[in-house]
């Protein structure tokens, strides 16, 4: 079961610096939200499409969309970027936006296969929105530490 810890960092270099610790961004002192199995490539692009109304194919090719920042030869964990547009959209999401998007996101193939409910996705969205608000308030970006 992959661990996916979403976190904020001032820049790509600082984000990748969590890898040598081997313990993840939370242990390295970064503001972190742990979301098991919610991958930063497909699931986040699907979320961005739902939140912004763009097509999934558009969300997948946005700058920083699921971009691997760490060495592809690393086998234990990776650091992947989250788009600035998703960060901004999450930061400005209202409780109504979260409620509106939770159901459709839970019905995407990836989350449905994992048995993640609309209630679970609403909680994940609330946590991600909080992380995004704090990141935007301090000039940081969002990342995912993805450990297999």
């Amino acid at each position: 079961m992959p661990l996916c810890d979403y976190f904020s960092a001032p820049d790509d270099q600082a984000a990748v610096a969590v890898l040598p610790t081997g313990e993840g961004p939370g242990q390295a002192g970064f503001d972190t939200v742990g979301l098991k199995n919610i991958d930063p490539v497909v699931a986040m692009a699907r979320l961005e499409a739902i939140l912004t109304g763009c097509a999934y194919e558009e969300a997948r090719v946005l700058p920083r969309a699921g971009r691997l920042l760490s060495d592809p030869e690393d086998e234990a964990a990776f650091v992947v970027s989250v788009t600035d547009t998703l960060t901004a959209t999450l930061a400005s999401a209202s409780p109504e936006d979260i409620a509106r998007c939770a159901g459709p996101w839970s019905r995407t193939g990836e989350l449905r296969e994992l048995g993640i409910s609309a209630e679970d996705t609403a909680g994940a969205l609330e946590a991600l929105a909080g992380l995004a608000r704090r990141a935007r308030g301090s000039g940081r970006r969002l990342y995912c530490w993805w450990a297999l």
Side-chain angles (χ1 to χ4, degrees):
M1 177 177 292
L3 297 176
C4 296
D5 286 353
Y6 290 84
F7 68 102
S8 66
D11 57 36
D12 295 355
Q13 184 177 1
V16 172
V18 304
L19 289 173
T21 69
E23 297 181 10
Q27 298 298 323
F30 289 97
D31 187 3
T32 305
V33 170
L35 300 175
K36 287 184 182 176
N37 287 326
I38 299 184
D39 81 84
V41 180
V42 176
M44 286 295 116
R46 296 238 187 256
L47 175 59
E48 184 152 358
I50 292 166
L51 277 170
T52 65
C54 74
Y56 168 73
E57 294 76 18
E58 292 174 73
R60 285 279 299 124
V61 297
L62 289 170
R64 303 180 57 76
R67 192 175 104 218
L68 179 65
L69 300 175
S70 55
D71 184 343
E73 299 299 317
D74 288 342
E75 294 182 7
F78 309 94
V79 173
V80 177
S81 62
V82 174
T83 68
D84 294 332
T85 54
L86 180 55
T87 302
T89 303
L90 284 166
S92 65
S94 69
E96 295 77 22
D97 294 330
I98 290 171
R100 176 183 53 81
C101 294
W105 193 32
S106 72
R107 290 188 297 273
T108 60
E110 299 74 25
L111 299 187
R112 189 178 63 244
E113 286 176 17
L114 295 168
I116 298 175
S117 69
E119 183 178 288
D120 293 336
T121 56
L125 281 169
E126 288 171 10
L128 285 170
L131 179 65
R133 285 183 195 106
R134 294 186 300 275
R136 297 276 293 184
S138 61
R140 294 173 173 248
R141 291 178 138 167
L142 293 188
Y143 299 88
C144 180
W145 177 78
W146 197 1
L148 303 175

